[in-house]
Amino acid sequence: QPAARLEPTAVDGVFSGQLIGLLGWAPDDQAEQAVAEQIRGHGGAVLCGAPAAVLEQRPSACVCGTYGAALPAGHPAVPLATTRWVDACIADGVCHARTSFPHFEPGLGPMPLADMADCSIRITALPASGDSRQKRRRLEELIEVLGARVAQVSSRWSELTHMVCVVPELLDKKMYDAACRKGVHALSIQWLFDCFRLNARQPEDRYGIADLLGKLDASQGTQAAAAAATEAASSFAADVLAGLSVLISPSALGSDSRLPLMAEELGGQVRAWRSAGELRGLLDGAKLTTLGSAGGDGGASPSSGTDGGASGGVDASGASSGSLNQLKTVVLVDKEEVCKADGPLAECVAAVPAALRGCFAVPSWLSETFQQRRRLPLEAFRALPEADDSPAAKRPRRGLGELGEAAYAWQPASLRSLEVLAEDSRAREMRTKAQQKVNAGLRLAELRHAPPSRLGG
């Protein structure tokens, strides 16, 4: 039976021009009908019916009735969303990207999580901006979806179990010290994101912000000698990356949310870029591309300010492998995202002279540099092959059944078909994990790009 199409009841709205399917709802579910009316009342058309029939119509997105919902096997990929996404779009008057916040997508499993029930969480250290109130509300929704309680500013310390910091460096020192004294976990926002992404409460000790803030934990003591040693070490570390601009990709940031603070603690300037176009502009400004190097000598010193524009490269005409450590700009990327010949970063890589493509480094360069408190050589952490740095020069892998994979006459067709399905399944899983990292990185990058404030709450 074909899916029923319900036309919009309003011409304009946040869903205008979209065809949105409904998946995973019980028959005659009143909640499904209410969601359909919401979408139609804000300009969208709705598809209802059996999952296969809905997906055959190729909707622009599907709203799922439960968390953990997945597409039926054998159907084309369609973006999945939740009712929280619908509510947020209507409340904010804008059609949000489904990757803006984790709970806008169904995730891996059902919600809420039973082991989050005893958590009382306060969101703090949120940058001041025009939409900061909306961002706070969305993060508090995520807490509710996970099954925890939202603690307000007026809550007593005895009522708190967790204090989650959106941008830890904005946290007021007195508030951090008070949390340590009261036994309240002070964690980065990535803890909430990972609890949802992995469908399980994550160990708090992996997300503490004490090291990121450069503050001593109460258990480390407050003796004057220890404080003096810490201050001296901090002063030394602040010179390790002085004058260096560190450009962090969404995938790298999603893999480790601590990268920006590591670079800043070592004296570097950080930019968490969000698109290939933004990266290209930063590379041009740093005179690392053919376009940028044509406008100057490549020796400009970096501009001041965290998350500011990156600048400063090495003159491409005289560059060699030995000049990599003189670069004033380093781009942290995962190998998988920069080595694709048809990937979004291919044009950015091609615009950088071959001798300077060593500026593309894997994130472990920064984490190792942070651990050792010395700037490690980039050659050992190249994201691109040294022999030929161009992604276009890499030969694409051949799939099963192509010339690169032997197919023997004695193999049953059913066996070859299973091999193809297994290979496709592994490839889809890898793409899904990679996209999850990118989505997490984009959320963190958006939060960092908001205007800063020294507000504790």
Side-chain angles (χ1 to χ4, degrees), residues 32 55-56 75 106 112 123 141 155 164 193 208 227-228 231 240 262 269 300 315 361 372 384 440 455:
E32 179 186 26
L55 294 171
E56 282 179 1
H75 288 279
I123 297 293
E141 286 175 358
S155 299
V164 173
F193 291 168
E231 183 178 356
V240 173
M262 289 180 189
Q269 301 174 44
D315 192 349
Q372 299 186 31
L384 291 164
L455 295 178

Side-chain angles (χ1 to χ4, degrees), residues 291-344:
L291 175 63
S293 61
D297 60 3
S301 58
S303 59
S304 60
T306 299
D307 273 354
S311 65
V314 174
D315 192 349
S317 61
S320 65
S321 59
S323 68
L324 291 182
N325 293 326
Q326 301 174 11
L327 287 172
K328 297 178 182 177
T329 301
V330 173
V331 185
L332 298 186
V333 291
D334 287 330
K335 287 185 177 181
E336 294 78 6
E337 62 179 336
V338 77
C339 289
K340 294 179 180 178
D342 57 347

Side-chain angles (χ1 to χ4, degrees), residues 232-242 262-268 370 373:
S234 176
S235 176
F236 168 76
D239 294 332
V240 173
L241 298 183
M262 289 180 189
E264 291 168 352
E265 186 170 326
L266 296 178
F370 182 79
R373 293 298 197 271

Side-chain angles (χ1 to χ4, degrees), residues 79-104:
L80 300 182
T82 64
T83 56
R84 293 280 189 170
W85 172 71
V86 175
D87 293 339
C89 291
I90 294 174
D92 299 342
V94 61
C95 187
H96 290 290
R98 283 166 289 278
T99 58
S100 299
F101 293 92
H103 62 296
F104 285 177

Side-chain angles (χ1 to χ4, degrees), residues 155-240:
S155 299
R156 299 177 180 178
W157 282 109
S158 60
E159 299 171 337
L160 293 181
T161 61
H162 297 75
M163 186 170 64
V164 173
C165 307
V166 178
V167 182
E169 62 263 47
L170 298 184
L171 182 64
D172 186 88
K173 183 181 184 301
K174 293 181 180 179
M175 183 174 294
Y176 172 80
D177 292 339
C180 292
R181 290 195 304 271
K182 302 292 184 180
V184 175
H185 294 290
L187 309 176
S188 71
I189 191 67
Q190 192 64 35
W191 179 68
L192 285 180
F193 291 168
D194 286 353
C195 287
F196 183 92
R197 180 174 63 88
L198 300 174
N199 198 234
R201 179 173 171 176
Q202 298 303 297
E204 284 83 357
D205 56 4
R206 299 178 185 174
Y207 302 88
I209 61 172
D211 291 340
L212 305 182
L213 294 175
K215 298 185 174 82
L216 288 174
D217 188 77
S219 63
Q220 295 177 304
T222 56
Q223 297 180 2
T230 301
E231 183 178 356
S234 176
S235 176
F236 168 76
D239 294 332
V240 173

Side-chain angles (χ1 to χ4, degrees), residues 380-424:
F381 299 88
R382 298 171 70 106
L384 291 164
E386 187 170 3
D388 188 348
D389 290 315
S390 172
K394 293 179 66 66
R395 182 174 297 176
R397 294 182 61 188
R398 297 181 183 274
L400 291 173
E402 297 185 41
L403 294 177
E405 186 81 19
Y408 300 101
W410 51 264
Q411 286 183 306
S414 58
L415 178 59
R416 292 199 296 272
S417 177
L418 287 175
E419 291 174 343
V420 172
L421 288 175
E423 183 73 17
D424 288 345

